[in-house]
Amino acid sequence: MEYEKKIKSIFKDSNIAFTQQEIDGIDYADFGLNNITEEGLNLIVYINNDRYCAKEMALLAGQTCPEHRHPRRGKNLEIEGKEETFRVRQGQVYLYVEGEKKCRKNFC
């Protein structure tokens, strides 16, 4: 599939050392929307458990990751939702979250 070739190329051209197993195991997530070229996320997963995930993500230009949540859970919501960390390695990303607008350095 041409789409998968484009995503593999993004990861391979990133100057991050991936194993062939990681490249072969890329997770192409369409969130059940069946429109992955516009609404999707492509992942190499290092760790993913109930509390934390560490992943490399790649999106095509103009592609968006659908809004989703990692809410508190458990019978009395005593278990916190998943924590995520994002670092942009290449390109530009817009992240929308609830709350007051916050700016860092020259980015706003």
Side-chain angles (χ1 to χ4, degrees):
M1 171 189 264
E2 188 63 30
Y3 176 82
E4 291 180 6
K5 287 181 184 178
K6 289 179 184 178
I7 297 303
K8 287 181 181 183
S9 178
I10 290 171
F11 282 119
K12 288 179 178 180
D13 294 343
S14 70
N15 293 321
I16 300 171
F18 294 112
T19 65
Q20 189 59 47
Q21 183 179 7
E22 289 170 327
I23 294 294
D24 292 342
I26 293 172
D27 182 6
Y28 305 95
D30 73 355
F31 296 85
L33 301 172
N34 298 317
N35 187 22
I36 196 164
T37 58
E38 293 181 27
E39 300 172 297
L41 185 58
N42 311 285
L43 308 156
I44 291 179
V45 179
Y46 299 120
I47 185 170
N48 188 20
N49 60 41
D50 288 342
R51 283 284 301 126
Y52 185 75
C53 63
K55 305 171 182 180
E56 295 288 343
M57 301 184 291
L59 282 84
L60 298 174
Q63 189 177 32
T64 62
C65 174
E67 181 178 357
H68 63 283
R69 298 179 50 194
H70 300 283
R72 295 183 74 85
R73 59 198 199 301
K75 186 175 182 180
N76 298 312
L77 302 178
E78 70 276 9
I79 304 170
E80 290 188 42
K82 187 177 286 190
E83 180 180 334
E84 295 181 310
T85 301
F86 295 91
R87 175 171 285 164
V88 179
R89 297 189 186 273
Q90 182 180 13
Q92 191 171 21
V93 173
Y94 298 93
L95 178 65
Y96 300 95
V97 297
E98 289 184 27
E100 186 179 326
K101 183 177 180 178
K102 295 180 182 178
C103 301
R104 277 183 67 160
K105 296 185 182 178
N106 297 329
F107 300 100
C108 199

